[in-house]
Amino acid sequence: MPQGPVDASQVPRFAGPDTYARLPRIDQVERADVAIVGVPFDSGVSYRPGARFGPAAVRQGSKLIRPYNPALDVSPFADLQVADAGDIACNPFDIGQAIETIEQAAGEFDAGLVTIGGDHTIALPLLRAAAREHGPLALLHFDAHLDTWDTYFGAEYTHGTPFRRAVEEGVLDTEALSHVGIRGPLYGKADLKEDRRLGFGIVTASDVMRRGPDEVAEALRQRIGERPLYISVDIDALDPAHAPGTGTPEAGGLTSRELLEILRGLSGCNLVGADVVEVSPAYDHAEITAVAAAHVAYDLISLFALRRGQA
């Protein structure tokens, strides 16, 4: 039987372990079906830093998470052994070396990974590791920004370039790539043309408002099919009203409810890995962003559990 979180009726939520959702550490269980791992790295940011403190903030914001998810009718911590695997320590001064470290460490887990960032640079090594096991991946990318630019100041590896590199390296299935939540000004119309050339479809934040989460989720399911799916959630997909604690905020974003409902609409998809990135707690207020990210991670874990139940 899986070992679950500390019992909140016995240990108050403001006490107990500082793990995600007060779950056991990975060294306290015999195995893990899903591992929560932090990557406190933000050397790839182009504007406000601080996402290196994101993993700790999301763990703090997860203390109120309870074992049963009524929205998806699943008890993920009872159906799966979920454990907190701590953080992947990587070089903050050398982006290339950090990417290598993250890729190697991610590949050593014999579990589904839900990774807490850190900036979006970390998605590239996580995708590489997942693709080594599962082959080219469908990608569902929640973000205000495309993150398919070529370089920043001549640098090929930043938080704005991971998905361009992933397409170039062949780790993504270009028939099943989607952005959700895109909005705000761009450098030029060519940004959109380049993104389409790489194979991405775009669901803007305005599209979600007009079409609704259920219709958007169904369209995404059709695009994904049964392919192995990686979900990458930049918390700035949310409007700054719902996620002020992030490095590159853009007005006009998704609500927390919209994001969670789209994720819940993906029940049954072949999820093989996920991340939640760009939480920068220095800009947060009353843990708004950290709590939102913690709940996003919870629904991602729940999707793993539902897939296991249908297998």
Side-chain angles (χ1 to χ4, degrees):
M1 178 177 293
Q3 181 179 338
V6 171
D7 186 349
S9 68
Q10 303 297 318
V11 181
R13 294 188 180 278
F14 45 80
D18 286 328
T19 56
Y20 176 85
R22 307 200 308 167
L23 286 161
R25 300 190 314 268
I26 201 165
D27 60 355
Q28 295 175 312
V29 297
E30 293 184 0
R31 59 170 181 82
D33 300 305
V34 174
I36 311 298
V37 62
V39 182
F41 175 85
D42 65 1
S43 299
V45 300
S46 57
Y47 192 46
R48 303 195 303 202
R52 67 183 61 185
F53 302 110
V58 175
R59 289 182 174 110
Q60 172 64 27
S62 73
K63 287 182 178 292
L64 271 176
I65 286 182
R66 299 176 179 88
Y68 173 63
N69 186 337
L72 288 169
D73 188 24
V74 66
S75 297
F77 306 144
D79 296 342
L80 299 175
Q81 180 60 70
V82 187
D84 192 317
D87 291 343
I88 297 172
C90 48
N91 191 329
F93 302 110
D94 188 324
I95 293 178
Q97 186 178 7
I99 287 172
E100 291 178 6
T101 300
I102 296 164
E103 181 181 354
Q104 179 178 351
E108 292 173 355
F109 285 98
D110 186 20
L113 286 188
V114 175
T115 306
I116 306 167
D119 77 51
H120 226 152
T121 310
I122 72 171
L124 177 60
L126 295 170
L127 287 166
R128 287 174 178 172
R132 257 201 324 273
E133 180 176 355
H134 300 283
L137 306 165
L139 174 69
L140 178 51
H141 169 222
F142 292 89
D143 205 319
H145 312 99
L146 301 171
D147 290 359
T148 53
W149 287 281
D150 191 13
T151 61
Y152 276 154
F153 294 92
E156 295 182 350
Y157 299 97
T158 76
H159 74 160
T161 65
F163 303 117
R164 188 185 190 103
R165 299 286 91 81
V167 169
E168 291 170 348
E169 294 177 12
V171 302
L172 296 180
D173 183 336
T174 55
E175 297 297 315
L177 308 179
S178 300
H179 304 296
V180 180
I182 302 300
R183 62 192 186 277
L186 297 168
Y187 294 106
K189 196 170 184 177
D191 291 347
L192 296 172
K193 292 179 179 178
E194 279 293 292
D195 194 73
R196 284 194 298 270
R197 183 184 65 80
L198 293 169
F200 282 88
I202 296 176
V203 180
T204 67
S206 295
D207 291 333
V208 174
M209 176 193 69
R210 293 189 175 94
R211 297 168 61 186
D214 292 345
E215 183 180 327
V216 168
E218 180 57 31
L220 294 171
R221 290 176 65 94
Q222 293 298 320
R223 190 170 176 88
I224 294 162
E226 279 298 310
R227 297 174 177 88
L229 170 65
Y230 190 97
I231 299 177
S232 185
V233 180
D234 186 326
I235 205 63
D236 74 21
L238 299 181
D239 189 87
H242 299 266
T246 192
T248 47
E250 303 278 359
L254 307 181
T255 66
S256 300
R257 180 171 56 245
E258 287 172 333
L259 173 54
L260 292 172
E261 286 301 319
I262 293 171
L263 288 174
R264 292 163 184 166
L266 301 173
S267 173
C269 286
N270 184 19
L271 183 64
V272 299
D275 64 58
V276 185
V277 300
E278 298 284 356
V279 174
S280 187
Y283 305 100
D284 208 2
H285 307 287
E287 297 182 332
I288 294 172
T289 313
V291 169
H295 280 265
V296 167
Y298 180 58
D299 274 12
L300 291 168
I301 297 165
S302 297
L303 292 179
F304 271 109
L306 288 166
R307 179 68 181 188
R308 172 66 66 88
Q310 295 170 3

